């Protein structure tokens, strides 16, 4: 199945809770009035688009309707589709993953437990490997031994090198070692996994900052990317997490996983509208090739079916 077909299938439930609802909202209307706009706004909010983005979209619709003298409510879904396309596209201008001009590109991957960090690292490592790059992954989620094992399985699958420590060891020290190793082995990419929670009360954000600091000690530009992984199926929670991690961890890009099967895929619109951080990658499954660069047009076309 092509990636687009997978994305389209993955967004089927979102289509029901979002696009189909919009279509229902306008179906038996004879005219476009304030009541219709208000109902549309509510529909969008319920579809996890988020209050801010919903307001922006409906405001845009009002303007279009006025300017183009639209009278047929049946035209609303198509107008909305283009509004969403513009909103999402404007935020995704810079969605390429950064790459260091020389020396290893260091990518740090952060996010709460279970969102898909380790899986996404495995998929990303496989992609770089496929491009002929030398990749090192670092098992910086030292919270559980199982997390280290899981990254090891992915490293084997992607056929890339791994650096790991003992369960409970210091992730910043491991990250430092990883960058050192990558430099001496002339590797192209280092991807650092991190924990989503901690044993001690020491703040997760403080730990992430420490990893960042340590990594930049030898390579001042590193990490070149801090990717925040968000689980699309958590809807508004994902937006909350983006706000918390965004500033504290210096996030440069978002990886949105589990777009497959979620009914909350509208959250992409909310995230792009409320965050200044671009969505760079999307995940639509558990397999190694189920991660792709985020393409706004593809997303909107898949969403509207
Ligand atoms: P972590 O705790 O953030 O490292 O999350 P994991 O990488 O361990 O992933 C948690 C679960 O989510 C695993 O069962 C993954 O297979 C699953 N997962 C990750 N990404 C996706 C995705 O894009 N789609 C689906 N359906 N499942 C995913
Ligand atoms: Mg993990």
């Amino acid at each position: 199945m092509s990636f687009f077909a997978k994305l389209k299938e993955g967004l089927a439930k979102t289509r029901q809770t979002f696009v189909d609802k919009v279509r229902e909202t306008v179906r038996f209307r004879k005219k476009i009035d304030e009541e219709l706009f208000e109902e549309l706004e509510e529909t969008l909010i319920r579809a996890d688009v988020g209050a801010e983005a919903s307001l922006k979209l409906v405001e845009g619709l009002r303007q279009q309707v006025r300017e183009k003298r639209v009278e047929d409510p049946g035209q609303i879904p198509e107008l909305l589709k283009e509004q969403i396309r513009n909103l999402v596209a404007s935020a995704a201008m810079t969605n390429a993953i950064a790459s260091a001009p020389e020396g290893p590109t260091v990518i740090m991957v952060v996010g709460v437990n279970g969102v898909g960090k380790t899986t996404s690292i495995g998929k990303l490592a496989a992609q770089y490997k496929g491009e002929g790059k030398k990749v090192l992954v670092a098992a910086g989620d030292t919270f559980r031994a199982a997390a280290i094992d899981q990254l090891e399985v992915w490293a084997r699958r992607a056929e890339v090198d791994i650096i790991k420590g003992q369960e409970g060891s210091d992730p910043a020290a491991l990250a430092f070692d990883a960058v050192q190793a990558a430099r001496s082995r002339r590797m192209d990419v280092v991807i650092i996994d991190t924990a989503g929670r901690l044993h001690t009360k020491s703040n997760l954000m403080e730990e992430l900052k420490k990893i960042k600091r340590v990594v930049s000690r030898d390579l001042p530009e590193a990490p070149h990317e801090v990717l925040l992984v968000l689980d699309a199926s958590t809807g508004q929670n994902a937006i909350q997490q983006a706000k918390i991690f965004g500033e504290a961890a210096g996030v440069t890009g978002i990886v949105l996983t589990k777009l497959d099967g979620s009914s909350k895929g509208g959250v992409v619109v909310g995230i792009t509208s409320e965050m200044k951080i671009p969505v760079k990658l999307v995940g639509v499954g558990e397999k190694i090739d189920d991660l792709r660069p985020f393409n706004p047009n593809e997303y909107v076309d898949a969403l509207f079916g």
Side-chain angles (χ1 to χ4, degrees), residues 3 72 82 96 113 139 158 162 168 223 236 271 283 299:
F3 191 81
D72 175 12
E82 293 318 309
N113 236 20
I162 181 169
Q236 294 307 297
I271 288 173
Y299 167 76

Side-chain angles (χ1 to χ4, degrees), residues 58-104:
V58 171
E59 200 40 62
L61 274 179
R62 275 198 190 92
Q63 200 181 334
Q64 291 266 301
V65 163
R66 221 177 320 147
E67 280 170 9
K68 295 184 175 162
R69 298 175 197 282
V70 180
E71 288 178 358
D72 175 12
Q75 281 180 266
I76 293 275
E78 199 53 36
L79 288 174
L80 180 66
K81 180 178 172 182
E82 293 318 309
Q83 290 278 328
I84 292 173
R85 194 192 299 277
N86 291 338
L87 184 80
V88 177
S90 68
M93 299 281 271
T94 51
N95 66 356
I97 303 281
S99 120
E102 57 178 302

Side-chain angles (χ1 to χ4, degrees), residues 18 21-22 25-26 32-47 49-67 70 76-77 79-87 269 273 304:
F18 185 165
K21 284 280 184 302
V22 168
T25 305
V26 301
I32 301 175
D33 53 16
E34 200 40 41
E35 198 187 314
L36 177 59
F37 285 128
E38 270 161 33
E39 239 177 80
L40 276 171
E41 193 177 324
E42 228 168 87
T43 304
L44 291 174
I45 290 173
R46 271 205 216 104
V49 169
E52 195 188 301
S54 301
L55 195 73
K56 237 187 255 181
L57 288 170
V58 171
E59 200 40 62
L61 274 179
R62 275 198 190 92
Q63 200 181 334
Q64 291 266 301
V65 163
R66 221 177 320 147
E67 280 170 9
V70 180
I76 293 275
L79 288 174
L80 180 66
K81 180 178 172 182
E82 293 318 309
Q83 290 278 328
I84 292 173
R85 194 192 299 277
N86 291 338
L87 184 80
V269 184
S273 163
F304 278 74

Side-chain angles (χ1 to χ4, degrees), residues 66-294:
R66 221 177 320 147
E67 280 170 9
K68 295 184 175 162
R69 298 175 197 282
V70 180
E71 288 178 358
D72 175 12
Q75 281 180 266
I76 293 275
E78 199 53 36
L79 288 174
L80 180 66
K81 180 178 172 182
E82 293 318 309
Q83 290 278 328
I84 292 173
R85 194 192 299 277
N86 291 338
L87 184 80
V88 177
S90 68
M93 299 281 271
T94 51
N95 66 356
I97 303 281
S99 120
E102 57 178 302
T105 297
V106 180
I107 301 171
M108 207 173 131
V109 179
V110 306
V112 305
N113 236 20
V115 289
K117 289 183 295 300
T118 305
T119 308
S120 298
I121 289 169
K123 294 169 178 173
L124 194 58
Q127 280 178 23
Y128 280 120
K129 171 82 182 181
E131 292 166 12
K133 300 235 162 75
K134 285 172 80 178
V135 187
L136 178 66
V137 294
D141 179 357
T142 56
F143 184 79
R144 291 174 308 139
I148 301 169
D149 296 343
Q150 188 195 359
L151 188 66
E152 206 161 25
V153 169
W154 272 107
R156 212 173 301 136
R157 213 176 275 163
E159 297 176 18
V160 302
D161 290 356
I162 181 169
I163 186 162
K164 56 176 187 164
Q166 294 288 321
E167 178 182 356
S169 64
D170 177 20
L174 183 88
F176 184 78
D177 289 349
V179 174
Q180 290 282 311
R183 291 183 82 186
S184 68
R185 293 187 219 163
R186 302 193 171 281
M187 311 205 67
D188 302 299
V189 187
V190 184
I191 313 177
I192 304 168
D193 199 0
T194 64
R197 59 177 173 171
L198 297 173
H199 274 300
T200 59
K201 281 207 184 122
S202 83
N203 189 297
L204 177 60
M205 299 305 156
E206 288 311 312
E207 174 157 303
L208 295 176
K209 280 183 198 160
K210 183 174 162 203
I211 297 174
K212 271 186 80 176
R213 263 198 318 274
V214 164
V215 160
S216 68
R217 207 176 280 161
D218 255 13
L219 278 180
E221 305 290 309
H224 304 85
E225 285 280 0
V226 179
L227 296 178
L228 171 64
V229 182
L230 299 172
D231 175 345
S233 69
T234 63
Q236 294 307 297
N237 259 335
I239 296 183
Q240 271 318 106
Q241 285 163 23
K243 285 181 175 160
I244 294 166
F245 277 84
E247 278 185 26
V251 172
T252 56
I254 288 168
V255 179
L256 198 61
T257 61
K258 311 189 197 182
L259 265 183
D260 53 310
S262 162
S263 62
K264 299 182 172 179
V267 76
V268 175
V269 184
I271 288 173
T272 47
S273 163
E274 292 195 30
M275 305 302 300
K276 299 288 168 276
I277 306 163
V279 175
K280 295 197 169 182
L281 298 163
V282 290
V284 295
E286 298 182 279
K287 301 219 181 66
I288 201 157
D289 56 356
D290 288 338
L291 186 80
R292 283 295 170 85
F294 176 61

